[in-house]
Amino acid sequence: MPHWGELWDRLRGTFRRAPESGGRSEREMDAELHSHLELAIADNVRRGMTAGEARRAALLSLGGIEQTKQAWRDQRSLPWLENFAGDIRYGWRLAARNPGFALAAVVALALGIGANTAIFSVLDKALLRPLPYPHAGRLVFFGMLIPSADSRPFLFASSYVDLRDQQTPFESMASWRPGIGGCDLTESRPLRLGCARVESTFLPTFGVAPLLGRNFTASEDLPEARRVCLISYGLWQSRFAGNPAALGHMLSLDGKPTTIIGILPRDFAWPTLGRVDLVLPEALTAAERAKPLAGVVRVYARLKPGVSIEAARAQLEPTSQTWRRALPPMFRRDMRLGLLSVREDQVGSIRRALWALFGAALALLLLAVANVANLLLARGAAREREFAVRAALGASRWRLARLQLIESSLLGVGGGIVGAGLTYLLLRLFVALAPAGIPRIRQAGLDAPVLLFVVAASLLAGLLCGLAPALAARPSRAMFAGRSLGPPRGRLGAALVVGQVATSLVLVAGAGLFVDTLRNIESVPLGMDASKVITAEITLGREAYRQAGATSQFFDRLQTKLRGLPGIAGVALGDSLPPTGGEHAHPFYGIRVEGRPPFEKGTGGLVGWRIVTPGYFQMLGIPVLEGRGFVASDQEPESNAIVLNQKLAARLFPDQQPIGGHVQLSPPSGPWYEVVGVAGDVKYVENSGLVAPASPEYYLAVKNAPASEPAGADARNELRHAFLLVRSPLAAAGIERLVRGEIASLDPTLPASISTLESRIELLRVQPRFNAALISLFAALGLLLAALGIYGVLSFLVAGRTQELGVRMALGAMPQGLVGMVLWGGLRLVLAGLAAGVGLGLAVARLLKGLLYGVSAGDPKIFAVAALVLLAAALAACAIPARRAARIDPVAALRNE
Amino acid sequence: MPRSKADVLQGTLDLMVLKTLDTIGPMHGYGIARRIEQVSENLLALNQGTLYPALLRLEQRRWISSRWGTSENNRRAKFYSITAAGRKQLAAERKSWERMASVIARLLAGAEEA
């Protein structure tokens, strides 16, 4: 058990004035010993000794004044700490005496530590930090995974209802309707909200209790129940200023009255990380619950304690076979059971990218460490005499190594402090580069775990760079040789250079791969022209636009008003926009072509479709390759024009002219459509930013008035959720304002999200851009560090060989010969490093495969360019010491001896 | 140094100092040393110098306190006195010492019988 009082006093004693210089306690100790001796002598005299005898006896029984004092001092402070503090003071003085050296080392380490910490901070929030739910490790997301239909697992509501009655590995389950839908707060201040429709078990499954109010009950989760909702903390603050009276308040949501019954907690995060303002009951209809293949839901569940994901998968496997049998034939083979942790679902493709970036940052740190190690090695040579003297005075090898390690740790700590500042700047850069696409990036900052990481990284980096000189120090050898620049130190430095070159080659080649990927993604023709197009996303509520024809009236008036404005070259509407997929799709085999037998069931994958107005193709720059695009007469209700994309046309009419052909769409009871045109294919840009090939699609014209059809029915050609497209040569900001104004003049309660089409596409490319930008930054810094490292080692070698070179010169060596010798000495190391780097790089690049587009992981061109870049940098770094070698004055060099 | 004199065991010095101060009240370092030697009837070879680090340690542990004063023959000396915490510690150490002593005594007695 430590005595805190003792520890405290001794700590204070340690940091008071050094005892040798005679502090207050030192004087007191002297006084006490003096009084002890006086008392003892007086006592002895009283017992009959002479003054001399009395004094000798007193000293004898005390047992030595100096020993006593030393034991006393040791008790007064903590000797090991005192030694340690002494070493630190010494290291500090050494650094202060050579500020250029210290600065170079600190900057190099700060670069490495800063880059690592910034990436770690992002990584920590995205991948490592526990999700904000109790026992989050037990939360899973599962369903049927059918890649050709949906990238994420789902279930049909009927299967889910069946599952609830069965034995499952789950403690609880909750379904919700896929996607956070837009819903509109149709009040005096219109607002587009993110709304999620969930089962009543949803919040309890996640272990989340409302901050205020309550969750809805199972009976409130029925379609006929009174409408209730929970609102997010953010909405509560912004709309109700955090007033508890918001509970019970009636909202007008898509024109329907909805009562607020609860407020979600402040830190509540939606499991898919989307922004959710409002949670509504899922309200599955009786038909959805009962009919197979009707409603689609996503399902979250909480595993029973102690049940692993693998065990749950095994237990669900038989059930998934019944799901499979219920599927249409085309999906059966494709289907498998999808079951993954909520974390895994959230992180998806970004995981690999973040680890890759972390690896790059780590490589940068290693380069920095190698550089500082080299600097220390070079300086270690100059300090050999000092170490020899210390060793001669009895310092152990460990004590000398400790001195070096403490010194280099000081550099590491300096690097950490500067690096933390750098982290702050880098994080701001990250957020600017990737506002979306990386989970929780905005939360990344210098918090406790990140600071801990900084401390650990700086100490580790500092110790690592001190390791080389500590190991290389051979004081005894130096004593006997007097002066030594022998091979061991040179060999260590050479090995460091080879390692540095190899590491930076991997970095540069990696950067090349990512930059090439980005360039490929940006230069691949999507099959459309996004420039000068402004988009506005609008959803007309089912209540407010209930009457037949109300929606088409609204869009007609909006288009007419916009067309009349100056500076607007064209206006069009569509229910979805490339380069993302359409809102709708159905199986390919559901299509019939007149005069041909039906396609075999279960073949052909999915066909997507969009409904568009006549100007759509022109507006998006999608070429009409055959026939014509839509015209105004195609919008009449009786017209049955259809435009196919190239891919679908080739599949439906492999050996004949598609124009004039007739097709019947799924379901087969519908009308026959006449093919009037074939439009060019448009590629898809996926969420990861990578480009996917186009898939078969067709387009239908938006109808003028759905006339007889009842409101709310799923009229195929009715627009409710629409993208307005406006092409104008004018500045985007002005047009955006104009469009917003026109929408508000028609319906002031209607929210619209307006942006340029280019920025919509840019958003999809955030991830590859982030990867390319960061890794290029790291590679550039790494290259710089490697070049500096080569320069440092060669300069050191040349300096060490001054006499040898002088002798050679005196014996008639030509300066060019000496330059060549020094250059070759450096290049040999560089070439060895390049060879090692190519091998290492090929191995590492294979891990990056899923992140690359249009470039193979082992692309020889990229590796060759990377090697050349490094070679050039290395040559430049070698040139300076080589020139110095050529300028050596033999007389001066020899006189030095 | 005669072999028959016992060296002071590590740790027992603390106990002796505390007991001494508890018995005779405030005393200076020399007095404490003399007192311990007298009580042991000069059987203990107390290296008086080792007393001072021990006194410092006890003071750091807040078991004794010190203050400068004047000795019986009018000399300046530092006087130590036991604190309340020191008395508690003394009681505890005494108990553990007695337990230890009795264990050893029983062990030795057993060994003789065998």
Side-chain angles (χ1 to χ4, degrees):
Chain A
M1 184 188 73
H3 292 273
W4 298 113
E6 179 182 357
L7 196 65
W8 170 243
D9 282 358
R10 294 179 75 170
L11 263 178
R12 275 199 326 185
T14 305
F15 289 104
R16 276 226 196 96
R17 286 181 62 187
E20 299 83 30
S21 55
R24 195 177 64 84
S25 53
E26 193 78 6
R27 280 200 307 275
E28 195 156 307
M29 177 171 80
D30 283 339
E32 191 168 3
L33 283 181
H34 185 73
S35 103
H36 176 100
L37 286 175
E38 277 189 343
L39 287 168
I41 291 166
D43 226 14
N44 289 344
V45 167
R46 212 169 29 244
R47 275 188 262 161
M49 295 189 196
T50 66
E53 280 170 351
R55 187 170 175 76
R56 208 172 314 120
L59 280 172
L60 202 64
S61 61
L62 185 66
I65 290 187
E66 266 320 302
Q67 287 92 316
T68 302
K69 277 187 176 176
Q70 196 49 47
W72 205 342
R73 285 183 197 121
D74 285 351
Q75 177 64 34
R76 193 170 51 204
S77 63
L78 297 166
W80 58 268
L81 189 62
E82 216 163 285
N83 276 343
F84 190 70
D87 284 353
I88 288 184
R89 269 199 300 270
Y90 182 74
W92 177 256
R93 276 207 298 273
L94 217 61
R97 206 166 47 194
N98 199 345
F101 169 84
L103 193 72
V106 164
V107 166
L109 288 176
L111 284 176
I113 293 171
N116 264 284
T117 310
I119 298 283
F120 173 79
S121 174
V122 174
L123 195 83
D124 176 50
K125 297 294 169 305
L127 305 182
L128 308 178
R129 197 62 64 87
L131 302 177
Y133 317 110
H135 305 288
R138 281 162 49 203
L139 290 171
V140 295
F141 171 49
F142 74 96
M144 301 183 289
L145 188 57
I146 309 177
S148 60
D150 195 341
S151 59
R152 306 180 65 221
F154 67 94
L155 278 182
F156 289 109
S158 53
S159 320
Y160 173 68
V161 170
D162 287 346
L163 188 65
R164 277 197 307 202
D165 301 332
Q166 294 169 20
Q167 192 68 23
T168 66
F170 307 122
E171 196 175 87
S172 69
M173 289 191 283
S175 63
W176 67 296
R177 291 183 187 264
I180 299 162
C183 57
D184 296 330
L185 205 52
T186 40
E187 295 179 344
S188 54
R189 282 178 294 158
L191 197 62
R192 160 56 59 94
L193 299 174
C195 292
R197 300 174 160 275
V198 311
E199 198 180 350
S200 58
T201 54
F202 194 89
L203 293 178
T205 297
F206 279 91
V208 172
L211 180 71
L212 281 179
R214 59 179 179 88
N215 187 17
F216 50 86
T217 61
S219 59
E220 281 168 322
D221 190 9
L222 295 171
E224 61 276 9
R226 195 174 62 99
R227 293 199 5 140
V228 296
C229 69
L230 287 92
I231 62 173
S232 72
Y233 187 86
L235 185 63
W236 183 46
Q237 291 297 328
S238 63
R239 196 80 180 181
F240 300 99
N243 187 347
L247 287 179
H249 183 87
M250 196 86 84
L251 288 175
S252 167
L253 207 60
D254 286 336
K256 277 186 246 172
T258 309
T259 312
I260 300 175
I261 59 165
I263 317 281
L264 294 168
R266 182 177 199 155
D267 62 349
F268 178 69
W270 196 254
T272 60
L273 297 171
R275 189 180 67 104
V276 167
D277 304 299
L278 224 101
V279 175
L280 295 161
E282 186 180 27
L284 289 173
T285 62
E288 283 172 318
R289 286 167 198 271
K291 262 172 63 184
L293 315 191
V296 167
V297 292
R298 302 224 192 266
V299 183
Y300 287 108
R302 183 175 280 277
L303 292 168
K304 286 176 184 156
V307 175
S308 69
I309 288 195
E310 290 70 35
R313 180 186 295 280
Q315 204 179 332
L316 274 182
E317 198 60 54
T319 316
S320 75
Q321 294 309 323
T322 67
W323 299 339
R324 185 193 305 277
R325 280 191 291 277
L327 284 175
M330 63 169 292
F331 293 124
R332 279 189 202 150
R333 202 153 39 110
D334 211 11
M335 186 222 116
R336 57 200 166 77
L337 171 64
L339 176 69
L340 66 173
S341 68
V342 168
R343 152 104 59 203
E344 193 62 42
D345 178 49
Q346 283 187 359
V347 169
S349 64
I350 199 74
R351 172 190 296 267
R352 205 184 310 193
L354 282 182
W355 282 116
L357 288 175
F358 193 59
L362 209 60
L364 187 64
L365 181 58
L366 284 180
L367 283 170
V369 164
N371 256 10
V372 176
N374 251 333
L375 284 173
L376 287 171
L377 268 180
R379 216 189 37 172
R383 284 176 63 191
E384 255 178 2
R385 270 173 206 285
E386 172 204 332
F387 274 66
V389 170
R390 280 175 181 265
L393 289 178
S396 65
R397 208 164 159 198
W398 157 239
R399 184 80 174 73
L400 292 182
R402 197 178 78 180
L403 199 66
Q404 295 251 13
L405 290 178
I406 283 178
E407 245 183 271
S408 63
S409 302
L410 270 182
L411 294 176
V413 168
I417 292 169
V418 181
L422 202 64
T423 301
Y424 176 76
L425 295 179
L426 274 176
L427 281 176
R428 294 189 46 177
L429 175 75
F430 291 1
V431 174
L433 278 174
I438 295 175
R440 292 183 281 271
I441 189 167
R442 281 181 192 285
Q443 296 167 25
L446 291 172
D447 52 10
V450 174
L451 286 178
L452 205 67
F453 179 87
V454 173
V455 172
S458 356
L459 287 181
L460 207 66
L463 287 177
L464 264 181
C465 19
L467 214 54
L471 290 178
R474 299 225 177 136
S476 51
R477 230 171 48 111
M479 258 323 249
F480 296 119
R483 178 173 154 75
S484 152
L485 289 166
R489 197 188 298 281
R491 227 183 286 146
L492 201 53
L496 282 175
V497 165
V498 172
Q500 276 190 311
V501 171
T503 310
S504 41
L505 179 77
V506 174
L507 267 182
V508 172
L513 290 173
F514 278 106
V515 169
D516 216 33
T517 294
L518 184 63
R519 216 182 45 205
N520 289 341
I521 289 170
E522 289 189 335
S523 64
V524 63
L526 291 176
M528 61 184 284
D529 173 16
S531 59
K532 299 283 172 203
V533 177
I534 309 287
T535 67
E537 191 179 353
I538 301 167
T539 305
L540 300 180
R542 286 193 188 278
E543 285 298 314
Y545 293 83
R546 169 169 58 229
Q547 263 102 27
T551 55
S552 60
Q553 248 176 38
F554 172 86
F555 287 123
D556 279 348
R557 284 173 62 197
L558 182 58
Q559 288 196 80
T560 314
K561 289 189 92 166
L562 286 170
R563 281 205 187 94
L565 294 175
I568 286 186
V571 180
L573 287 165
D575 68 339
S576 62
L577 286 183
T580 49
E583 295 255 291
H584 334 273
H586 62 68
F588 172 78
Y589 66 81
I591 303 179
R592 287 203 56 191
V593 178
E594 194 183 38
R596 282 170 171 265
F599 293 104
E600 197 190 322
K601 264 203 161 200
T603 61
L606 285 176
V607 174
W609 51 281
R610 309 179 197 266
I611 58 173
V612 304
T613 63
Y616 187 84
F617 297 118
Q618 197 199 341
M619 212 57 39
L620 291 175
I622 300 174
V624 176
L625 304 169
E626 288 177 65
R628 59 172 176 86
F630 291 118
V631 294
S633 62
D634 292 326
Q635 292 190 275
E636 295 307 320
E638 58 276 9
S639 157
N640 279 326
I642 186 171
V643 173
L644 311 177
N645 79 351
Q646 221 179 337
K647 211 155 192 166
L648 185 60
R651 297 256 296 265
L652 292 177
F653 302 95
D655 42 17
Q656 72 188 81
Q657 173 55 242
I659 305 297
H662 287 83
V663 294
Q664 196 182 28
L665 305 172
S666 180
S669 54
W672 286 87
Y673 287 87
E674 183 183 341
V675 179
V676 298
V678 176
D681 291 338
V682 180
K683 292 199 171 69
Y684 285 172
V685 177
E686 294 171 343
N687 282 336
S688 62
L690 303 189
V691 182
S695 53
E697 277 185 340
Y698 61 82
Y699 301 88
L700 299 175
V702 174
K703 297 295 161 138
N704 272 338
S708 59
E709 272 172 302
D714 280 328
R716 184 158 229 165
N717 300 19
E718 192 197 355
L719 272 185
R720 240 178 219 295
H721 170 238
F723 289 92
L724 175 75
L725 299 170
V726 177
R727 185 179 277 271
S728 165
L730 303 180
I735 299 297
E736 285 184 23
R737 220 171 16 250
L738 209 63
V739 170
R740 193 177 293 283
E742 290 304 324
I743 292 172
S745 76
L746 284 177
D747 183 348
T749 67
L750 191 65
S753 89
I754 303 178
S755 63
T756 65
L757 184 53
E758 277 173 335
S759 66
R760 265 179 199 281
I761 298 175
E762 273 317 296
L763 269 182
L764 293 168
R765 289 179 176 150
V766 154
Q767 241 193 69
R769 187 179 299 281
F770 186 73
N771 295 348
L774 285 198
I775 214 154
S776 301
L777 177 68
F778 294 166
L781 292 174
L783 194 64
L784 186 71
L785 287 178
L788 286 176
I790 296 166
Y791 166 76
V793 167
L794 276 193
S795 307
F796 166 63
L797 286 178
V798 168
R801 287 169 71 184
T802 304
Q803 289 157 45
E804 178 209 329
L805 294 172
V807 170
R808 280 175 189 264
M809 218 174 241
L811 292 178
M814 299 304 286
Q816 298 95 302
L818 293 186
V819 168
M821 201 175 78
V822 171
L823 271 183
W824 175 239
L827 280 183
R828 228 176 29 184
L829 301 180
V830 173
L831 290 178
L834 288 181
V838 168
L840 190 65
L842 288 177
V844 168
R846 235 179 311 146
L847 302 175
L848 303 178
K849 248 179 200 157
L851 303 171
L852 303 177
Y853 177 82
V855 53
S856 91
D859 190 280
K861 214 169 61 203
I862 284 180
F863 274 87
V865 169
L868 279 180
V869 166
L870 260 165
L871 203 61
L875 267 179
C878 294
I880 303 168
R883 273 170 48 129
R884 205 174 295 150
R887 291 221 196 104
I888 286 173
D889 177 359
V891 179
L894 292 175
R895 193 181 291 141
N896 232 352
E897 186 64 338
Chain B
M1 208 175 289
R3 262 282 174 232
S4 59
K5 281 192 177 180
D7 285 331
V8 178
L9 271 175
Q10 187 76 38
T12 53
L13 185 59
D14 289 3
L15 179 58
M16 288 190 274
V17 171
L18 287 176
K19 178 63 198 162
T20 306
L21 288 177
D22 189 39
T23 313
I24 63 176
M27 180 49 66
H28 46 70
Y30 177 72
I32 297 170
R34 286 295 304 150
R35 165 84 183 173
I36 290 173
E37 284 168 358
Q38 278 162 11
V39 168
S40 77
E41 291 165 347
N42 288 326
L43 281 175
L44 268 180
L46 184 62
N47 191 341
Q48 292 176 354
T50 60
L51 189 63
Y52 287 97
L55 284 170
L56 183 56
R57 184 169 60 242
L58 292 175
E59 196 176 1
Q60 283 167 345
R61 293 181 180 185
R62 311 288 188 265
W63 293 336
I64 61 176
S65 59
S66 71
R67 153 180 84 72
W68 283 94
T70 315
S71 73
E72 53 282 4
N73 42 15
N74 247 343
R75 286 177 203 279
R76 244 170 74 76
K78 201 175 189 183
F79 281 77
Y80 295 89
S81 49
I82 191 163
T83 64
R87 290 212 171 80
K88 221 185 283 169
Q89 177 65 18
L90 176 60
E93 279 200 22
R94 178 189 204 137
K95 210 178 259 167
S96 86
W97 176 261
E98 280 164 358
R99 209 171 32 237
M100 182 56 115
S102 81
V103 166
I104 299 225
R106 257 178 293 161
L107 251 171
L108 292 177
E112 268 164 28
E113 278 163 27

